[in-house]
Amino acid sequence: MKNYPEREAALALLRKYNSEPFHIQHALTVEAVMRWYAQELGYGEEADFWAAAGLLHDVDFEKWPEEHCKKAPELLAELDCSSELVHAVCSHGYGLCSDVEPEHEMEKVLFAADELTGLIGAAARMRPSKSVSDMEVPSLKKKFKDKKFAAGCSRDVIKEGAERLGWDLETLMERTIQAMRTCESQVAEEMAALAT
């Protein structure tokens, strides 16, 4: 079985190197989205491993943005993470800040969903509901086409992510919206608990 840290230890490592609420919330969201995808795609027995990769994927980003995905192996070594987990974390930055290519389906999902959760989150904040619960694909596609909106979310990476999975863009968007709907309130609760 692939070696990954207990969630409590993984969260502690994340918080050791990340203090910005935005970064913590993004990590918790990607963690939950990855867990959802593991169940959805038939990897239920690996759901904790997928979730750990999601939680820790940006562990080095806040303190070492110039070394993103290069510093991560050193930080993950503190928890004795397996080479599979380190590879997954480093592969999500492929083509941007890493030359580690996503190979396993989990890595391809992380590569695709990471940027997309950012775009969906930004789009949700603009809605009257401030929520993803009533978001539909057509409205997300409008935001996707508007290059000025959430300009930091790479459209090229999202498109490439869908291609690597063999999905069309709409499928990736639909599934990731669904995943975020399932975890939105849980992430908000955890963020509130961490803030106290």
Side-chain angles (χ1 to χ4, degrees), residues 15 23 33 41 43 86 108 135 138 141 165 167 178 182 188:
R15 296 185 71 201
H23 291 150
V33 165
L41 299 175
Y43 295 91
V86 173
K108 294 174 184 177
M135 186 185 294
K141 282 189 82 175
L165 285 161
W167 303 348
Q178 268 183 281
T182 65

Side-chain angles (χ1 to χ4, degrees), residues 61 65-70 90 92-100:
F61 183 70
E66 301 304 315
E67 292 178 74
H68 185 35
C69 295
K70 294 180 179 67
C90 295
H92 90 275
Y94 182 67
L96 294 174
C97 56
S98 168
D99 53 8
V100 179

